[in-house]
Amino acid sequence: MASIKNNELASGYDIGDIATDFSLKNVDGEMVSLSNYKDAKGFLIIFTCNTCPYAVAYEDRIILLDKKYKEMGVPVIAINPNNPDVKPGDSFDKMKIRAKEKRFTFPYLLDEGQKIYPQYGASKTPHIYLLEKTKKGNIVKYIGAIDDNYQDESKVEDKYVENAVDAMLAGEEIEVTKTRAIGCSIKV
């Protein structure tokens, strides 16, 4: 029998679940919560980091997602789930440097004590959760990958996240609600 790593057993939110709010420190030192976004229609919660080649390959696309959808009420909120004691390149100080270098247009939060990513069930970086803000709470609408080609943006055939956000904003059913997140395992 093949061995299974802890984070491969991660349970967490499923489609239709209500995601609880959090309060995490942004690279600017401010605390960020979903409740800070009074006019949001939803959120793109993206678990990502500085050190994973997959996460780095997607940084520019994440910036574009934020620029495109923030205006429509669906901002990106990036969360670094890695333990900086295990992965020093993902320390808070290194996060600040990376956010400045890449000119992140969205909050880049540290999951201090690694309390949030297990609630979501994130296991990779990057791992994306689309939440729709409703009167009942923030409902999980999509879980998985950004698109179908991390290596070459020009060869992307399925833009999973964009399709999901577009459908949600149009009040339509999301065709693909789950995909397999491709990336590095979260460092615990």
Side-chain angles (χ1 to χ4, degrees):
M1 185 165 122
S3 67
I4 297 175
K5 295 178 186 155
N6 276 348
N7 56 2
E8 288 177 339
L9 292 173
S11 58
Y13 297 134
D14 201 352
I15 302 304
D17 287 349
I18 294 177
T20 56
D21 202 349
F22 49 75
S23 183
L24 296 173
K25 188 161 62 167
N26 188 14
V27 290
D28 65 3
E30 298 292 319
M31 298 304 282
V32 172
S33 298
L34 300 179
S35 60
N36 296 144
Y37 295 82
K38 301 293 183 216
D39 298 326
K41 295 176 183 169
F43 303 94
L44 281 169
I45 306 297
I46 302 181
F47 292 91
T48 188
C49 67
N50 297 344
T51 57
C52 170
Y54 297 88
V56 170
Y58 271 114
E59 283 175 334
D60 290 337
R61 282 179 257 184
I62 293 169
I63 292 167
L64 290 175
L65 284 170
D66 185 57
K67 285 181 178 175
K68 179 176 182 177
Y69 290 112
K70 183 169 30 183
E71 301 281 317
M72 297 181 209
V74 185
V76 164
I77 297 179
I79 300 174
N80 181 349
N82 285 341
N83 180 344
D85 294 336
V86 174
K87 203 70 176 166
D90 285 322
S91 72
F92 190 67
D93 286 338
K94 298 268 169 99
M95 287 172 61
K96 289 195 267 189
I97 292 166
R98 189 72 184 157
K100 188 175 182 183
E101 284 174 353
K102 291 298 293 184
R103 295 190 174 115
F104 285 170
T105 56
F106 46 82
Y108 188 25
L109 313 176
L110 177 63
D111 188 1
E112 199 164 2
Q114 298 182 295
K115 293 178 178 81
I116 302 306
Y117 90 82
Q119 289 178 19
Y120 278 78
S123 61
K124 303 283 185 195
T125 52
H127 207 150
I128 292 65
Y129 293 77
L130 170 61
L131 308 180
E132 182 176 24
K133 187 175 174 184
T134 71
K135 289 179 177 148
K136 294 179 187 171
N138 295 306
I139 298 174
V140 179
K141 302 298 275 188
Y142 170 82
I143 301 171
I146 291 175
D147 56 40
D148 66 352
N149 194 326
Y150 80 90
Q151 293 172 308
D152 187 347
E153 185 177 5
S154 69
K155 294 186 177 163
V156 170
E157 292 181 22
D158 281 319
K159 294 183 175 186
Y160 306 125
V161 167
E162 287 191 47
N163 294 340
V165 176
D166 290 343
M168 181 188 84
L169 289 173
E172 298 168 359
E173 191 170 323
I174 296 170
E175 286 184 34
V176 178
T177 56
K178 281 185 173 177
T179 58
R180 193 168 139 255
I182 305 290
C184 303
S185 61
I186 292 173
K187 308 302 183 259
V188 292

